[in-house]
């Protein structure tokens, strides 16, 4: 049996709800997934190739990498067995409040080369590392706040656009939005593929193709990701791991753990510890 790929991850809590960081050194190939938050990070060593909302991209040591909420992406090493990167994840309302920006924002590119932003990001990541090492005084919180505001300001100044919500949506997209909303309605009442196809007025095969075209995942894969995000939110609010797993629709806690590891790169226990800081 082949050995499991090298993987080491650390989840970093923060002084603010809706913000956390990760430090990952990994040879894993991450499958297609999405996050409910903005992601901004720095590749520190090695390189990776990943899917994004703009097609496949490559990022090398020193590059900045980004994801938008709901943007389907993956990741695999490029040119070596492993790579190392640090990320900060920010829920949309946090970004909007920090810089008084419109809520409907999208980062423009999945790979950035911006020395000023890179320096600001490293400062923010270093501050989060200090916070998680026990530097949690009022002065430390102020330093973290300043680093977050500076990084968000530079990011949105040169690398974000306002998303138009009033643009017309085609009938096919409207149908898929209705299917997605039905999947998200109740994690304990999962509709059959027959019911989803009837809701969309399509055959089951047509539904699978159109849903994947719009959202980048099949309905089942999207549902698993939704469950993982729901469980993450419940754990952050203080729910126990078994409770969060059951309330999010997982068969058991081990199923939730496997999904977390596959999608986020860390375990629910690591997230619980970071969220409690």
């Amino acid at each position: 049996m082949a050995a499991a790929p090298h993987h080491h991850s650390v989840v970093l809590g923060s002084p603010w709800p809706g913000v956390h960081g990760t430090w990952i050194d990994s040879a894993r190939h991450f499958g297609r997934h999405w996050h409910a938050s903005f992601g901004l990070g720095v590749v520190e060593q090695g390189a990776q190739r990943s899917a994004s909302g703009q097609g496949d991209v490559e990022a090398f040591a020193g590059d900045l990498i980004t994801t938008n909420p709901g943007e389907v992406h993956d990741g695999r090493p490029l040119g070596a067995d492993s790579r190392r990167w640090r990320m900060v994840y920010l829920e949309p309302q946090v970004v909007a409040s920090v810089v008084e920006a419109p809520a409907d924002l999208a980062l423009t590119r999945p790979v950035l080369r911006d020395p000023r932003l890179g320096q600001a990001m490293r400062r923010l990541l270093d501050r989060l590392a200090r916070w998680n090492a026990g530097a949690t005084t009022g002065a430390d919180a102020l330093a973290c706040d300043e680093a977050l505001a500076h990084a968000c300001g530079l990011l949105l100044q040169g690398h974000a656009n306002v998303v138009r919500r009033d643009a017309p949506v085609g009938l096919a997209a409207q149908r898929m939005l209705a299917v997605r909303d039905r999947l998200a309605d109740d994690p304990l009442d999962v509709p059959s593929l027959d019911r989803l196809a009837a809701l969309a007025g399509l055959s089951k095969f047509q539904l699978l193709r159109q849903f994947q075209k719009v959202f980048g995942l099949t309905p089942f894969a999207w549902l698993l990701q939704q469950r993982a995000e729901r469980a993450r939110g419940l754990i952050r609010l203080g729910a126990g791991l078994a409770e969060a797993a059951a309330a999010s629709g997982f068969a058991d806690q081990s199923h939730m753990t496997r999904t977390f590891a596959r999608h986020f790169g860390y375990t629910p226990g690591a997230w619980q510890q970071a969220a409690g800081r």
Side-chain angles (χ1 to χ4, degrees):
M1 180 181 296
H6 161 75
H7 181 81
H8 180 60
S9 67
V10 176
V11 188
L12 302 173
S14 81
W16 323 277
V19 180
H20 72 280
T22 59
W23 179 96
I24 298 180
D25 187 333
S26 182
R28 281 186 187 171
H29 292 212
F30 288 86
R32 294 171 70 85
H33 64 284
W34 52 268
H35 304 276
S37 51
F38 289 102
L40 176 63
V42 181
V43 180
E44 294 192 318
Q45 181 178 315
Q48 78 164 8
R49 177 180 290 119
S50 59
S52 76
Q54 299 181 25
D56 282 358
V57 294
E58 297 179 353
F60 301 86
D63 288 347
L64 303 176
I65 50 179
T66 76
T67 60
N68 286 297
E71 181 179 6
V72 174
H73 58 286
D74 59 15
R76 51 205 181 277
L78 175 65
D81 293 335
S82 187
R83 74 282 199 208
R84 186 176 74 237
W85 69 100
R86 291 192 290 171
M87 296 288 297
V88 175
Y89 294 95
L90 309 105
E91 293 185 4
Q93 62 269 27
V94 172
V95 176
S97 66
V98 167
V99 294
E100 295 186 355
D104 295 335
L105 289 172
L107 305 180
T108 55
R109 287 180 292 165
V111 178
L112 305 175
R113 295 179 177 93
D114 182 330
R116 287 184 66 209
L117 178 57
Q119 184 179 34
M121 274 303 305
R122 291 180 181 87
R123 184 179 299 115
L124 172 58
L125 289 160
D126 289 344
R127 289 294 184 189
L128 288 183
R130 284 175 53 82
W131 181 267
N132 283 263
T136 56
T137 67
D140 293 309
L142 175 60
C144 285
D145 265 332
E146 288 185 356
L148 177 65
H150 189 214
C152 286
L154 290 176
L155 176 65
L156 301 188
Q157 198 174 63
H159 306 290
N161 290 326
V162 176
V163 178
R164 286 189 57 200
R165 297 298 182 189
D166 58 349
V169 178
L171 178 59
Q174 289 179 23
R175 288 171 170 171
M176 294 307 101
L177 287 169
V179 170
R180 184 199 63 182
D181 290 346
R182 176 60 185 88
L183 285 170
D185 275 347
D186 184 349
L188 304 182
D189 179 23
V190 181
S192 67
L193 191 60
D194 282 313
R195 287 170 62 191
L196 292 175
L199 176 63
L202 300 169
S203 72
K204 290 188 285 188
F205 179 67
Q206 289 171 324
L207 169 65
L208 291 178
R209 290 186 63 181
Q210 289 198 19
F211 193 92
Q212 188 157 14
K213 181 179 180 181
V214 173
F215 297 112
L217 298 168
T218 67
F220 176 69
W222 190 94
L223 176 67
L224 279 184
Q225 182 69 51
Q226 175 73 1
R227 285 175 169 174
E229 287 288 352
R230 178 180 174 84
R232 205 169 58 83
L234 291 172
I235 293 167
R236 188 185 70 193
L237 294 175
L241 300 185
E243 177 188 358
S248 301
F250 288 106
D252 50 39
Q253 188 175 325
S254 63
H255 185 205
M256 178 178 73
T257 298
R258 291 193 300 272
T259 303
F260 263 58
R262 186 164 60 247
H263 290 176
F264 302 136
Y266 53 79
T267 65
W271 170 245
Q272 184 182 53
Q273 183 178 5
R277 290 194 179 101

